[in-house]
Amino acid sequence: MENETSSVFDIVIWSGAALSLLGLVGLIWCILKVSRAKRANLDDDAMRDVLKSALPLNLGALFLSVIGLMMVIVGIFLA
C-alpha cells in the first residue's frame, strides 16, 4: 500500500500547477482588457495607454505560467 502522506515532490507539482493556473487567469484577463479597449474604438493615444498598462501584466502572467510549468515538470521528473 502506498504512503498516504504527500511528498515534497507532490507539493512542488501542485504548487506549480496552481502558479500555472494563476498565470493563465492573468493572461485571459489581459486578453479581455485589450479586447474591450479594441471594441470601444479608442483613439490611438488611448489605445496605446491601454496596451502599455496591459503589457507588464501580460509578461508577469506569462512568467508565472512558465515557472509553474517548470515546477510541474521538475516535480514529475524527480518524483
Side-chain angles (χ1 to χ4, degrees):
M1 190 148 109
E2 195 172 314
N3 191 1
E4 294 296 323
T5 61
S6 61
S7 70
V8 73
F9 300 116
D10 290 336
I11 295 170
V12 169
I13 291 169
W14 284 109
S15 61
L19 274 180
S20 290
L21 188 62
L22 187 64
L24 181 64
V25 168
L27 288 171
I28 291 171
W29 184 79
C30 287
I31 290 169
L32 291 176
K33 182 177 180 179
V34 171
S35 176
R36 273 186 257 132
K38 195 173 186 180
R39 275 184 275 141
N41 290 328
L42 300 175
D43 61 344
D44 286 341
D45 290 333
M47 184 60 126
R48 192 170 288 121
D49 289 339
V50 170
L51 292 175
K52 280 183 183 178
S53 70
L55 182 66
L57 297 172
N58 191 10
L59 290 175
L62 187 61
F63 176 75
L64 272 180
S65 69
V66 167
I67 293 298
L69 288 174
M70 284 182 185
M71 288 173 66
V72 169
I73 290 169
V74 166
I76 289 172
F77 280 148
L78 295 178

